[in-house]
Amino acid sequence: MTKQDGGAPRTDTMKPEEKTLSGGKPVYDSGQLFKGTTEIDIHHDGAFYRLKITRQGKLILNK
């Protein structure tokens, strides 16, 4: 976590958890990504994607 000018820790900088899955890939908690919402937009390679949590708690990715 980095600090802002006022000395308060920043919470908008998302970092992967220390733990990793097999293969050494970083692990992100969905709570870090969604921050209380059920949809987020992801910009990848010039295109936008929507990642959504369904009512059943599953993830759906749409272009």
Side-chain angles (χ1 to χ4, degrees), residues 2-21:
T2 59
K3 293 200 174 203
Q4 295 175 341
D5 294 355
R10 289 180 57 171
T11 57
D12 61 342
T13 304
M14 187 174 49
K15 294 183 180 180
E17 294 289 326
E18 294 291 324
K19 53 191 170 184
T20 59
L21 298 174

Side-chain angles (χ1 to χ4, degrees), residues 2-44:
T2 59
K3 293 200 174 203
Q4 295 175 341
D5 294 355
R10 289 180 57 171
T11 57
D12 61 342
T13 304
M14 187 174 49
K15 294 183 180 180
E17 294 289 326
E18 294 291 324
K19 53 191 170 184
T20 59
L21 298 174
S22 61
K25 298 174 197 162
V27 175
Y28 293 92
D29 183 82
S30 62
Q32 289 180 298
L33 295 172
F34 287 92
K35 297 181 182 177
T37 66
T38 58
E39 292 185 16
I40 60 171
D41 292 324
I42 299 170
H43 183 244
H44 172 70

